[in-house]
């Protein structure tokens, strides 16, 4: 049975009627046309689908749509303020911390959530927070540099 | 045989691909001009074929107009059949055009991989963009610059030699006259001039005068990657689009015997297609399509066949090795005499498991039919090849097929084949609506293809002084990339032999070069140990190739090899390896730590020196080398396809372990800028030195020689040798 899910996405109130078990990832991508959030594994092991739910990072591929009811969601499309990028986005550009860029939205949101909680993480803390996020281009070195750079802002 | 059904082998290397389909522009001149923005009118087709021979060499040259277009606002549109998959082609080809046109990189707009607009530059594979496409784009841009300069000279009735070209404008100093490309482009003469073929002997800018090439130009669409605005192949949405799912066999080689589609067909808003062994469905959402597929799958009955398991993989490959027949060894001197003369002979076998590319973005395509024409947005590395496949599948002329490859979510050689494109097009045709097919990770793990597994048999002979005088090297199944030894040995026999591959195998970043280098560089260390000589000194004593010597010595120096080799303990080892492939050279020194309790090998540091000629984009090259090093750790230490009864047993990131942040060692990259030779690609070869350097480091610390990739440290099971 479909249910109605009311949520705020990137500052806009949205309402979606959907199967409650359907993933938040699918709802964002297929109902709301927010394709910046990526599919990488569908089982919570790659972080490509990372979004912020009430400010905390969640893996949207393993988050049932029903759980997003009455929640505030930020996706990669909603991280910048108008034309001014979020410091983590800026840092990724400054460090050139992308190759194909497919993991990038998840990486940026994971780092943004970390820095929100812990503005000056140690390398160990960054590694722990980011370890779920896979980059198959294996650009981890520059991604770490980008997170370090953003933490100094 | 089971293998025949499933292992319709992907050509191991694109260079083996036979005649590739030709592409002609299908768009009328009017629509083409509209697409590129008002400006120069372009005559695109007459007398020009965009077919090319594999290996990146043009069969016939293309016109300047087919390569580039000057817009009235002064920006320049450059067209290439190459794809961007994270390797950096977009920035590099932009730089190539900007360099020769004498404009800033941001003046160039690069259109990539749209078969309706771009020439066929060959598959994006084999590190060919740098040695083939960059020169092709440079020649195109340099020809355009020359034609424009000549036109200006004619208009002003001055000598061509008296004109300067700078910042997109041509200047005659003596009379202080200047005309921009944009203004020149308005003249009819330019259209005529650009209809000429790109000159094959036009002078391009020498390395010493590079202004844009050689600099760290950022990928032009980077901002769209950090904002989520870029649409990857799996992000294409068309009006009225459905999401498709394909019924997969339960195991390799299984064939469908019966199926009942009535229940699925009765479901609302659902399209079901059954055509021989192809069964698929499409629905308004992926979730719904998955549900429909489950309903269908329950009714299917399959005939399965037996299939080798990964446990028996290496004996299977050996048993089925085609050592005679068409596979001929390459020989030098006499291997029999060399071995007979040797005072010490070593014989070793190395193994390499199947691994997968696991590109971050699995295969994806969106297909749309309109008026008998097919458009597909998909992630493949050969847009024209996919176009040809689609044309053949649907038996329509290739002019009716347009393939567009948006910058995609990585590939590493794993996206030669356009399965998702064909699947989406089949469903879209039946549905009469656009359909997107996005493979799941499990589908990618099972139905894409794999880097070949290998059994490598080596025999080596040392003379009384410890010099290597005999070298017998046979690679079974993985292929011949980098199989030749760069070392100076009087008697050699080298053979690449085919076998019966249980899995569908194909290209991968540097392909067999990793397997061959793992075996060769491990074996060199074993021989050095047998000769009682330091592995660095042993290599240098047999190495004439100056480029390899340079990187080897650079890596050793930056790593401080001599000192650290002396500080080795039972738990901390150092090792090195070097090699050459695709006209580039690499050497790595590593430090590993052994966790005996957990049976773990932890790589602490990698110091790698790499040289691929003149560096075209240092920032991008650094990314590629870092990426290769870390990717190499996966194949070296943890990645391995496990299969039994025709099923992949670890088709997920839970069971198939790829490198993560935690695994990243301290990495020092030393790029050597060799301006004496042409540039070679740098996105593959840096991967080949990692695994053997690790194996060698583990041996130095523990005395255990691990001869199988991925390497696992199981104390006392390896052959224990004296240090
Ligand atoms: S797609 Fe959600 S964690 Fe991989
Ligand atoms: S940049 Fe390609 S997966 Fe991370």
């Amino acid at each position: 049975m479909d249910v109605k899910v009311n949520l705020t996405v990137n500052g806009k109130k949205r309402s979606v009627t959907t199967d409650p078990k359907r993933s938040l990832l699918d709802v964002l991508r297929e109902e709301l046309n927010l394709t910046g959030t990526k599919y990488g594994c569908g089982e919570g092991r790659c972080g490509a689908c990372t979004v912020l739910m009430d400010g905390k990072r969640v893996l949207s591929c393993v988050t049932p749509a029903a759980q997003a009811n009455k929640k505030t969601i930020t996706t990669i499309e909603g991280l910048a303020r108008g034309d001014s990028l979020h410091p983590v986005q800026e840092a990724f550009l400054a460090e050139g911390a992308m190759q194909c860029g497919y993991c990038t939205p998840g990486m940026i949101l994971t780092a943004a959530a970390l820095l929100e909680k812990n503005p000056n993480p140690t390398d160990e803390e960054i590694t722990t927070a980011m370890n779920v996020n896979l980059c198959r281009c294996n650009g981890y070195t520059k991604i770490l540099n980008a997170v370090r750079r953003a933490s100094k802002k | 045989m089971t293998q025949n059904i499933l292992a319709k082998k992907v050509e191991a290397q694109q260079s083996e691909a036979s005649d590739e389909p030709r592409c002609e522009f299908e768009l009328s001149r009017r629509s083409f001009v509209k697409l590129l923005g008002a400006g120069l009118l372009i005559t695109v087709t007459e007398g020009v074929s965009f077919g090319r021979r594999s290996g990146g060499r043009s069969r016939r040259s293309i016109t300047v107009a087919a390569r580039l277009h000057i817009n009235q606002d002064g920006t320049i549109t450059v067209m290439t059949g190459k794809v961007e998959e994270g390797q950096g082609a977009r920035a590099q080809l932009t730089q190539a055009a900007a360099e020769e046109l004498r404009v800033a990189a941001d003046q160039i707009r690069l259109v990539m991989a749209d078969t309706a607009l771009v020439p066929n530059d060959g598959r994006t594979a084999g590190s060919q963009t740098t040695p083939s496409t960059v020169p092709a784009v440079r020649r195109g841009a340099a020809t355009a610059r020359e034609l424009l300069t000549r036109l200006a000279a004619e208009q002003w009735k001055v000598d061509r030699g008296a004109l300067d070209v700078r910042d997109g404008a041509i200047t005659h100093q003596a009379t202080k006259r200047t005309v921009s490309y944009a203004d020149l482009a308005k003249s009819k003469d330019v259209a005529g001039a650009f209809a000429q073929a790109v000159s094959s002997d036009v002078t391009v800018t020498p390395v010493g005068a590079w202004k844009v090439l050689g600099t760290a130009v950022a990928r032009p669409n980077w901002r769209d990657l950090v904002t989520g605005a870029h649409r990857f192949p799996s992000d294409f949405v068309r009006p009225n689009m459905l999401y498709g799912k394909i019924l997969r066999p339960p195991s390799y080689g299984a064939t469908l015997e019966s199926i009942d589609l009535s229940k699925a067909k009765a479901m609302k808003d659902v399209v079901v297609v059954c055509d021989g062994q192809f069964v698929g469905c499409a629905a308004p959402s992926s979730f719904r399509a998955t549900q429909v597929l489950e309903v269908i799958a329950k009714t299917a009955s399959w005939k399965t066949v037996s299939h080798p398991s990964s446990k028996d993989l290496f004996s299977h490959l050996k048993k089925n090795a085609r050592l005679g027949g068409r596979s001929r060894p390459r020989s030098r001197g006499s291997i029999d005499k060399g071995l007979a003369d040797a005072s010490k002979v070593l014989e070793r076998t190395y193994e390499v498991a199947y691994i997968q590319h696991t590109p971050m973005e699995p295969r994806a395509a969106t297909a749309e039919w309109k008026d008998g024409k097919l458009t597909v947005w998909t992630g493949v590395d050969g847009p024209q090849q996919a176009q040809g496949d689609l044309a053949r599948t649907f038996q329509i002329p290739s002019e009716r097929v347009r393939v567009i490859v948006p910058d995609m979510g990585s590939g590493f050689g794993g996206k030669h084949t356009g399965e998702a494109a064909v699947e989406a097009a089949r469903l879209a045709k039946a549905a009469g609506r656009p359909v997107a097919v996005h493979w799941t990770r499990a589908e990618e793990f099972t139905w894409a293809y794999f880097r070949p597994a290998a059994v490598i048999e080596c025999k080596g002979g040392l003379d009384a002084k410890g010099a290597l005088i005999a070298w017998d090297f046979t690679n079974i199944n993985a292929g011949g990339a980098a199989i030749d030894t760069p070392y100076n040995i009087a008697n050699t026999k080298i053979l690449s032999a085919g076998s019966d591959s249980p899995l569908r195998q194909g290209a991968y970043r540097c392909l067999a070069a990793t397997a061959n280098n793992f075996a060769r560089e491990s074996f060199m260390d074993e021989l050095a140990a047998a000769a009682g000589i330091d592995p660095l000194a042993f290599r240098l004593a047999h190495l004439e190739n100056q480029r390899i010597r340079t990187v080897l010595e650079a890596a050793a120096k930056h790593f401080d090899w001599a000192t650290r080799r002396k500080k080795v303990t039972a738990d901390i080892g150092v090792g090195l390896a070097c090699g050459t492939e695709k006209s580039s050279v690499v050497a790595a020194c590593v430090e590993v730590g052994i966790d005996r309790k957990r049976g773990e090998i932890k790589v602490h540091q990698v110091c790698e020196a790499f040289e691929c000629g003149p560096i075209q984009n240092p920032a991008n090259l650094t990314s590629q080398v870092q990426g290769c090093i870390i990717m190499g750790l996966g194949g070296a230490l943890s990645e391995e396809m496990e299969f039994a009864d025709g099923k992949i047993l670890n088709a997920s990131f839970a069971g198939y372990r790829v490198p993560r942040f935690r695994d990243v060692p301290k990495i020092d990259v030393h790029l050597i800028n060799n301006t004496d030779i042409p540039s070679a690609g740098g996105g593959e070869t840096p991967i080949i030195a990692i695994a053997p350097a690790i194996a060698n480091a583990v041996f130095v610390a523990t005395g255990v020689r691990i001869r199988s990739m991925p390497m696992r440290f199981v104390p006392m099971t390896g052959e224990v040798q004296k240090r």
Side-chain angles (χ1 to χ4, degrees):
Chain A
M1 257 286 282
D2 284 358
V3 297
K4 196 163 174 192
V5 178
N6 296 306
L7 64 179
T8 305
V9 183
N10 300 334
K12 278 202 204 93
K13 288 206 159 35
R14 310 296 293 256
S15 175
V16 177
T17 304
T18 186
D19 188 297
K21 292 192 299 295
R22 193 170 167 206
S23 72
L24 175 60
L25 172 66
D26 273 8
V27 168
L28 291 169
R29 290 179 55 86
E30 297 179 11
E31 299 297 327
L32 305 178
N33 196 18
L34 292 167
T35 54
T37 310
K38 305 300 180 202
Y39 168 93
C41 70
E43 51 165 5
R45 290 184 191 273
C46 80
C49 63
T50 302
V51 298
L52 306 183
M53 183 143 83
D54 290 347
K56 284 206 219 45
R57 66 94 60 108
V58 296
L59 301 173
S60 64
C61 73
V62 287
T63 305
Q67 249 177 51
N69 194 28
K70 302 211 180 85
K71 296 282 176 18
T72 299
I73 308 290
T74 303
T75 71
I76 192 69
E77 291 95 339
L79 201 58
R81 292 278 154 268
D83 268 352
S84 84
L85 296 178
H86 186 279
V88 177
Q89 290 172 312
E90 294 279 12
F92 269 65
L93 288 178
E95 293 290 340
M98 294 149 285
Q99 293 185 33
C100 77
Y102 193 81
C103 69
T104 307
M107 291 284 178
I108 289 177
L109 286 163
T110 305
L114 165 70
L115 298 181
E116 190 63 38
K117 241 185 14 208
N118 178 359
N120 283 302
T122 60
D123 280 1
E124 178 55 30
E125 286 168 333
I126 297 175
T127 300
T128 303
M130 308 279 297
N131 204 48
V132 156
N133 291 67
L134 284 180
C135 174
R136 282 302 291 143
C137 297
N138 290 285
Y140 297 114
T141 313
K142 289 192 178 180
I143 296 172
L144 277 171
N145 289 344
V147 181
R148 286 187 194 122
R149 174 188 279 258
S151 77
K152 293 198 190 93
K153 288 266 164 77
Chain B
M1 266 213 25
T2 62
Q3 286 74 17
N4 294 343
I5 301 162
L6 68 102
K8 182 173 163 282
K9 279 174 205 159
V10 178
E11 287 302 324
Q13 275 176 309
Q14 60 102 201
S15 55
E16 290 164 16
S18 59
D19 246 11
E20 279 159 354
R22 288 173 178 221
C23 150
E24 308 285 344
F25 282 105
E26 61 145 321
L27 299 183
S28 67
R29 176 195 279 194
R30 221 174 75 233
S31 55
F32 186 57
V33 169
K34 202 170 79 204
L35 270 160
L36 295 181
L40 186 63
L41 286 180
I42 305 176
T43 325
V44 279
T45 41
E46 275 94 316
V48 179
S49 145
F50 299 102
R52 64 169 268 295
R53 214 167 266 296
S54 53
R57 289 171 296 277
S58 288
R59 197 178 288 158
R60 282 162 67 183
S61 74
I62 60 171
T63 63
V64 175
R67 181 62 77 193
L68 66 89
H69 170 78
I70 299 182
N71 309 304
Q72 285 183 1
D73 65 1
T75 59
I76 298 155
T77 303
V78 176
M79 292 155 282
T80 176
K82 287 294 191 231
V83 308
E84 173 62 62
E85 50 188 323
Q87 85 284 30
R90 185 175 283 285
Q92 214 180 324
L93 293 170
T94 298
Q95 290 173 268
E99 183 67 61
E100 300 306 335
L101 285 159
R102 313 255 193 275
V103 297
D106 62 9
Q107 294 289 99
I108 305 283
R109 191 181 142 239
L110 189 69
V111 175
M112 299 180 84
D114 177 340
T115 59
L117 301 178
V118 304
N120 185 349
D121 288 316
R123 226 182 246 297
T124 305
S127 284
Q128 284 299 305
T129 299
T130 302
S132 297
T133 315
V134 166
V137 167
R138 291 178 69 189
R139 283 194 300 271
T143 308
R145 182 195 69 217
E146 274 315 299
L147 290 170
L148 292 167
T149 313
R150 252 183 264 154
L151 277 177
E154 275 164 28
Q155 281 181 10
W156 293 336
K157 304 209 171 20
V158 299
D159 189 29
R160 152 73 186 90
L163 299 184
D164 263 356
V165 187
R166 199 176 303 155
D167 300 328
I170 298 159
T171 306
H172 186 237
Q173 285 298 355
T175 56
K176 299 246 171 328
R177 275 179 295 188
T178 287
V179 63
S180 68
Y181 289 163
D183 284 336
L184 264 182
K186 287 175 194 147
S187 103
K188 275 207 304 295
D189 301 342
V190 171
F194 277 21
Q196 294 180 36
V198 169
S199 158
S200 58
D201 54 6
V202 63
T203 319
V204 294
T205 316
V207 179
W210 281 358
K211 289 202 173 65
V212 190
L213 280 169
T215 66
V217 168
R219 181 167 153 186
N221 55 354
W222 257 0
R223 196 185 157 97
D224 289 348
L225 300 178
V226 301
T227 60
H230 172 66
R231 297 251 169 185
F232 288 83
S234 50
D235 299 334
F236 267 81
V237 182
R238 302 294 298 165
N240 208 23
M241 184 179 96
L242 298 175
Y243 293 84
K245 288 280 166 198
I246 313 300
L247 181 69
R248 306 288 176 195
S251 58
Y252 292 133
T255 42
L256 192 59
E257 289 198 309
S258 71
I259 194 156
D260 177 6
L261 301 171
S262 55
K263 208 162 153 205
K265 281 187 170 159
M267 293 166 86
K268 202 169 152 259
D269 298 330
V270 165
V271 177
V272 180
V273 179
C274 177
D275 178 5
Q277 293 286 310
F278 179 86
V279 179
C281 64
S285 73
S286 305
F287 184 79
R288 185 81 179 133
T290 305
Q291 288 180 325
V292 178
L293 190 70
E294 279 164 13
V295 169
I296 293 173
K298 277 194 196 126
T299 72
S301 76
W302 299 88
K303 182 166 179 290
T304 58
V305 290
S306 72
H307 189 265
S309 96
S310 47
K311 282 208 187 69
D312 309 320
L313 172 62
F314 300 118
S315 55
H316 176 89
L317 291 177
K318 261 185 90 159
K319 200 169 70 209
N320 292 287
R322 293 189 290 271
L323 293 169
R326 277 196 300 153
S327 21
R328 291 265 166 77
R330 262 200 298 276
S331 297
R332 187 175 154 197
S334 158
I335 188 67
D336 294 337
K337 183 170 181 316
L339 289 169
D341 288 351
S343 57
K344 215 181 239 178
V345 172
L346 252 58
E347 200 171 339
R348 299 286 184 261
T349 300
Y350 300 86
E351 300 159 346
V352 179
Y354 285 107
I355 67 172
Q356 206 193 43
H357 322 74
T358 58
M360 207 65 236
E361 180 184 38
R363 281 165 165 66
T366 296
E368 181 174 71
W369 290 88
K370 228 182 219 162
D371 309 323
K373 288 186 181 172
L374 171 65
T375 303
V376 182
W377 293 262
T378 189
V380 290
D381 59 24
Q384 276 91 359
Q385 290 76 9
Q387 179 192 34
D389 288 346
L390 287 161
R392 276 189 294 278
T393 303
F394 297 101
Q395 300 184 344
I396 53 176
S398 57
E399 302 84 74
R400 289 180 166 267
V401 180
R402 180 178 183 184
V403 172
I404 302 167
V405 182
D407 293 13
M408 63 185 187
S410 68
F412 317 115
K415 288 181 177 167
H416 274 20
T417 49
E419 298 88 345
V422 174
E423 290 160 0
R426 286 181 97 157
L427 291 174
K429 195 167 183 204
R433 293 164 69 169
V435 172
V437 169
H438 302 155
W439 281 25
T440 63
R441 179 57 59 190
E443 286 179 294
E444 184 75 25
F445 261 125
T446 310
W447 300 105
Y449 53 91
F450 304 90
R451 185 178 79 180
V455 174
I456 300 171
E457 297 180 328
C458 309
K459 238 184 265 174
L462 297 162
D463 70 10
K465 288 194 221 102
L468 190 47
I469 55 167
W471 180 266
D472 186 347
F473 190 95
T474 300
N475 179 321
I476 299 169
N477 189 58
I483 195 169
D484 288 319
T485 173
Y487 298 106
N488 191 21
I489 307 165
N491 306 292
T492 60
K493 179 173 151 240
I494 291 165
L495 174 66
S496 165
S499 183
D500 173 52
S501 171
L503 299 187
R504 183 187 184 211
Q505 57 185 21
Y508 184 101
R509 202 172 205 170
C510 236
L511 196 56
T514 297
N516 286 322
N517 227 56
F518 171 63
R520 176 175 50 249
E521 288 296 297
S522 296
F523 195 43
M524 284 300 285
D525 248 53
E526 299 208 47
L527 289 160
I533 302 174
D534 171 83
L536 174 60
F538 185 73
R539 282 176 174 78
L540 290 172
H542 292 91
L543 200 52
E544 275 169 10
N545 181 321
Q546 191 50 51
R547 291 175 66 202
I548 306 182
R549 290 183 72 97
T550 303
V551 285
L552 185 56
E553 283 167 339
K557 184 180 122 224
H558 290 294
F559 184 76
D560 197 7
W561 170 261
T563 314
R564 291 175 71 175
R565 177 68 183 75
K566 287 190 203 109
K567 290 194 189 146
V568 164
T569 70
D571 296 320
I572 305 255
V574 297
L576 54 77
C578 58
T580 177
E581 167 66 351
K582 296 189 165 71
S583 308
S584 60
V585 292
V586 65
C589 294
V590 306
E591 182 190 288
V592 303
I594 311 291
D595 184 336
R596 283 164 196 273
K597 255 197 240 118
R598 301 168 68 179
E600 246 176 45
I601 300 164
K602 173 97 183 149
V603 178
H604 296 157
Q605 185 191 356
V606 177
C607 173
E608 185 162 297
F610 180 66
E611 186 257 288
C612 58
I615 298 169
Q616 299 192 341
N617 186 324
N620 184 59
L621 186 59
T622 302
S623 293
Q624 288 302 304
V625 177
Q626 290 172 338
C628 277
I629 289 171
I630 303 175
M631 187 172 230
L633 293 179
L637 296 174
S638 60
E639 294 180 38
E640 172 176 23
M641 299 314 309
E642 294 163 17
F643 52 94
D645 300 323
K647 291 183 176 57
I648 298 292
L649 304 177
N650 58 342
S652 83
F653 286 130
Y656 184 92
R657 208 177 161 305
V658 295
R660 292 181 177 273
F661 277 98
R662 266 229 180 288
D663 305 309
V664 177
K666 177 173 183 295
I667 294 178
D668 308 309
V669 171
H670 301 279
L671 301 179
I672 292 165
N673 192 27
N674 179 358
T675 54
D676 297 336
I677 52 171
S679 301
E684 302 192 61
T685 305
I687 201 171
I688 68 175
I690 299 306
I694 294 171
N696 295 340
V698 172
F699 173 73
V700 161
T702 64
V704 177
R705 175 55 69 176
I706 307 176
R707 301 194 182 90
S708 196
M709 284 174 66
M711 293 175 258
R712 297 197 176 94
F713 184 74
V714 187
M716 306 316 294
T717 55
E719 182 188 338
V720 180
Q721 299 187 346
K722 266 197 264 118
R723 223 180 280 154

